[in-house]
Amino acid sequence: MMKAVNFLLGSILALPLFAHADALKLQKSTQEFDQYRGQITVNGEYSYYFDDEVAGDVICFHPSTPSDQLIPRKPDDRRSRWFCFNDTQQAAQALKLNKRPKEGYIGYTGHATVTVGEYAVYKGESDGTDLAKLVSVQKADTAKLVKSSGY
């Protein structure tokens, strides 16, 4: 009986370690993306630049260390670990970025802790970013306005 109790207790204590380690699992690989299922919670800085010349109208997230290690990368992939949310409108609402700033400002930045899922690692030959679905926002600081460099 004591062995069973010890085993059960050890299993319960180890469960968060296994859940954390296996948060994202490769589901499907295409020429452009490795698609993962599962969820991860990361903290870091988000940025929302309206009508960005390269990325377009998207909100991107740059996880801080050590949570950036949850972003899947193959051993030979040395790119920095960051992603954009695949639904800008939903992410803007969740981060309370519903209004475009007044003239002279080009976007917002801020710090947050978010849970994402449906992670897709971009591996195409042209410009592209990793994408993730925003599941929830655990904590978000008030966003700061970013001034246009011409003002």
Side-chain angles (χ1 to χ4, degrees), residues 13-129:
L13 293 174
L15 187 58
L17 296 174
F18 293 122
H20 185 71
D22 297 328
L24 291 177
K25 291 188 183 225
L26 184 62
Q27 181 179 14
K28 179 176 147 184
S29 189
T30 66
Q31 193 167 359
E32 275 198 305
F33 289 97
D34 283 336
Q35 298 173 338
Y36 291 81
R37 67 183 160 134
Q39 296 180 356
I40 55 173
T41 299
V42 293
N43 63 318
E45 184 174 343
Y46 62 86
S47 57
Y48 185 18
Y49 296 105
F50 306 113
D51 307 318
D52 183 278
E53 290 178 17
V54 176
D57 190 26
V58 296
I59 300 173
C60 295
F61 197 88
H62 300 265
S64 302
T65 304
S67 68
D68 66 338
Q69 296 303 305
L70 297 172
I71 304 296
R73 288 286 184 262
K74 293 189 176 174
D76 61 338
D77 187 347
R78 303 266 184 242
R79 294 175 298 146
S80 61
R81 293 176 154 111
W82 64 280
F83 58 89
C84 295
F85 297 110
N86 62 10
D87 185 336
T88 298
Q89 185 176 21
Q90 183 245 357
Q93 288 175 347
L95 292 166
K96 299 182 173 116
L97 306 174
N98 300 327
K99 297 181 192 174
R100 285 195 177 236
K102 58 188 174 185
E103 190 173 326
Y105 295 92
I106 59 170
Y108 294 103
T109 63
H111 288 86
T113 301
V114 298
T115 298
V116 296
E118 299 177 25
Y119 198 92
V121 174
Y122 180 75
K123 60 182 192 174
E125 299 276 334
S126 63
D127 290 338
T129 64

